[in-house]
Amino acid sequence: WSSDVCSSDLERERLQKEIDEKTRFHKSIEGKLSNEQFVSRAPEAVVQKERDKLVEVQAEIKRLQASLDELG
């Protein structure tokens, strides 16, 4: 029983760490996309790639948060 609790705690820690990492990455992409100079000077394909990354990381954060919520 205690090993189940311990593994659940470890899994919660791992998920939270990953959420924190993805959140920092999300903020860095948002910062890039809110920079008018970057958006106006970078090729459209580069800007679109950053927007796509933003959507992907948002989905990953949501998925990780759902997993964390399931653990309680």
Side-chain angles (χ1 to χ4, degrees), residues 6 9 14 27 45 50 54 59 66 72:
C6 189
D9 288 345
R14 185 191 70 76
K27 286 180 182 178
E50 293 300 313
L54 190 66

Side-chain angles (χ1 to χ4, degrees), residues 37-51:
Q37 286 189 338
F38 170 77
V39 175
S40 64
R41 293 182 179 180
E44 182 56 35
V46 172
V47 174
Q48 187 57 51
K49 189 174 181 181
E50 293 300 313
R51 288 184 179 131

Side-chain angles (χ1 to χ4, degrees), residues 5 13 17 19 21 28 30-31 33-35 37 41-43 51 54-55 58 60-63 67-68 70 72:
V5 171
E13 280 181 37
K17 186 177 178 183
I19 289 168
E21 245 174 61
S28 75
E30 277 186 327
L33 290 172
S34 67
N35 180 336
Q37 286 189 338
R41 293 182 179 180
R51 288 184 179 131
L54 190 66
V55 170
Q58 285 171 330
E60 287 177 35
I61 292 169
K62 196 173 185 176
R63 179 185 57 78
S67 295
L68 185 61
E70 283 178 19

